[in-house]
Amino acid sequence: MLRRVRVGGGVGGITALPQYRSGRFDMLVSERQSIVIPSARLGRRGFLKGLCGTSALSVLGGCGTLSSEPSLPPVGTVGQAAFLAPLSGPQSAVGQMMRAAASLGGNDIGPGAEVAVYDSGGTEEEAVTAARAAVAGGARMLLGPLLSGQSRAVAAAVGRVPVVALTNDSSVAGGNLFVFGITPLQSARAVIGFAATRGKRRIGVVVPSTEFGQLQSTAAATAGAAVGATVLAPVVTDTSADLISRLGHDGALPNAVYLPIVGGAFTEQAAVLKAAGVQILGSDQWSSIIPYRTPALLDAWFAAPDPIRYEAFALAFEEQSGGEAGVLAGLAFDAVEMARLLGRLGQQDREGLLRDGGFDGVLGPYRFTDAGQCDRALAVLGVQQGATVLIGATGG
């Protein structure tokens, strides 16, 4: 017997969301699998209870403890962090969504709260001003900003205070700056690693002639090398013309082709690949569309946050805010719960971020590295007729 649930999503480009979109997936899951699917409608209380064992809330809400953790002090007695969200400026709609996620379940986000929200605006100067005000107010850890340029400026301005930025530009990581966004490498590792287990070990890459396209192709090569797959030199093109001939090497097409970036000639390129019988692979950017509505994507595989973890959060967010949660809302929620957990443990510092056990959130398990990167386990979804199917679950 099969049961269908809705899964929210939404992602953007290298530094933020030049055009924020939020899509909905249908997920078809067999009840014979050992998977617990959230109920169709969860209120806030049901959501918070349901996160026991899958979120920092499992520790904070008294519904379970991590065996390696000491007893936690009462709420508000240890930690103090700040969330830098773009509540004004061109990304204000995204900022308000992030603010709503930070306050989910009635969490206090005002001055002096465990995690207080500050407006990072739309410029580096505004973000630095907000960061300095937060640190002056006692913040020991900063979450955000969203943009990579702002993140660099804030990290430089606050000295040794750790900055957990929501950008997905991994190039800015290092020192006191940790990148928390879903990066090209995280997507490539998930879907290329999965493809390799299915015998797809000779992989082509098609990207547009942009900086983000270059980052995606580099990530694919790195991911392929890690699993012993051969990732061919990328085909850099903004059209679908001559795509098959350019992908062919010695007259043979690759086993699969990674098509990570949505937009431009994406649909036309997918149609050409589908007609050639090539397995199509995609990145988390596919979460900004509804893949099964594009016929060429039928039977494609793509990386995404684990929808089973995410669905309960998305429904609770929708109930409380009246809006639809995008992936950035999930990132915001996970960042806030991480900071709250570390505050209760008295570890809102670099050492706390690098804890051996990592963290578990609504977007899946993750851990930070000494270089400021985030190792995040993404799921792999398959596109079927009228549905998106979970075919590769996250670990942890």
Side-chain angles (χ1 to χ4, degrees):
M1 180 178 179
L2 295 176
R3 184 153 67 102
R4 192 187 309 273
V5 297
R6 293 191 307 163
V7 181
V11 293
I14 177 172
T15 56
L17 299 175
Q19 181 180 1
Y20 181 78
R21 298 184 61 187
S22 181
R24 281 282 188 180
F25 295 107
D26 283 332
M27 183 179 66
L28 207 58
V29 181
S30 170
E31 292 185 353
R32 290 176 295 179
Q33 294 175 307
S34 301
I35 296 176
V36 178
I37 304 174
S39 60
R41 285 288 165 189
L42 288 179
R44 281 179 288 172
R45 292 181 181 178
F47 164 65
L48 295 176
K49 286 179 64 180
L51 281 179
C52 291
T54 61
S55 165
L57 286 173
S58 63
V59 180
L60 304 184
C63 52
T65 59
L66 300 179
S67 59
S68 61
E69 304 295 2
S71 298
L72 299 177
V75 175
T77 59
V78 176
Q80 191 169 349
F83 195 129
L84 308 182
L87 304 180
S88 61
Q91 299 292 337
S92 60
V94 176
Q96 293 296 336
M97 178 186 66
M98 294 163 65
R99 185 181 189 277
S103 64
L104 190 63
N107 290 327
D108 183 11
I109 55 174
E114 282 187 288
V115 181
V117 175
Y118 289 75
D119 181 12
S120 59
T123 67
E124 294 180 14
E125 292 76 15
E126 289 173 306
V128 167
T129 297
R132 285 174 171 161
V135 172
R140 303 182 181 121
M141 174 179 289
L142 301 180
L143 312 174
L146 177 62
L147 305 177
S148 59
Q150 287 183 321
S151 301
R152 280 192 299 262
V154 164
V158 297
R160 296 175 62 87
V161 175
V163 177
V164 181
L166 270 67
T167 177
N168 62 358
D169 183 356
S170 57
S171 69
V172 303
N176 64 327
L177 178 54
F178 294 80
V179 170
F180 194 49
I182 299 178
T183 67
L185 183 56
Q186 291 167 5
S187 282
R189 279 176 173 165
V191 73
I192 291 176
F194 177 82
T197 67
R198 297 294 182 92
K200 310 295 184 182
R201 292 185 166 274
R202 191 166 179 272
I203 298 172
V205 180
V206 177
V207 292
S209 55
T210 62
E211 180 184 1
F212 195 47
Q214 181 179 354
L215 286 175
Q216 290 280 8
S217 62
T218 300
T222 301
V227 295
T230 299
V231 176
L232 305 176
V235 174
V236 180
T237 179
D238 298 311
T239 75
S240 60
D242 300 321
L243 185 58
I244 297 302
S245 62
R246 295 181 65 181
L247 282 167
H249 289 258
D250 298 325
L253 288 174
N255 302 137
V257 173
Y258 189 41
L259 194 63
I261 299 180
V262 173
F266 171 80
T267 301
E268 293 80 6
Q269 290 170 343
V272 169
L273 294 172
K274 180 70 172 177
V278 176
Q279 175 66 55
I280 302 175
L281 310 177
S283 74
D284 71 290
Q285 280 223 335
W286 287 26
S287 299
S288 65
I289 62 174
I290 302 178
Y292 63 74
R293 292 184 179 173
T294 301
L297 299 182
L298 185 64
D299 299 322
W301 305 331
F302 68 101
D306 191 322
I308 292 177
R309 294 169 179 264
Y310 183 76
E311 176 68 1
F313 162 76
L315 292 172
F317 180 91
E318 182 178 336
E319 178 180 309
Q320 175 168 304
S321 70
E324 194 170 285
V327 171
L328 272 178
L331 283 173
F333 181 82
D334 282 351
V336 167
E337 293 307 318
M338 173 195 66
R340 189 172 285 120
L341 169 62
L342 291 179
R344 305 281 182 90
L345 297 174
Q347 296 175 2
Q348 283 181 333
D349 51 27
R350 181 180 179 85
E351 289 70 27
L353 289 172
L354 296 176
R355 64 201 301 268
D356 290 339
F359 305 90
D360 210 0
V362 298
L363 295 186
Y366 62 93
R367 70 178 67 233
F368 292 102
T369 72
D370 189 62
Q373 304 292 346
C374 180
D375 285 339
R376 183 186 303 279
L378 295 178
V380 177
L381 307 185
V383 183
Q384 292 189 357
Q385 191 70 46
T388 303
V389 182
L390 178 64
I391 56 177
T394 60

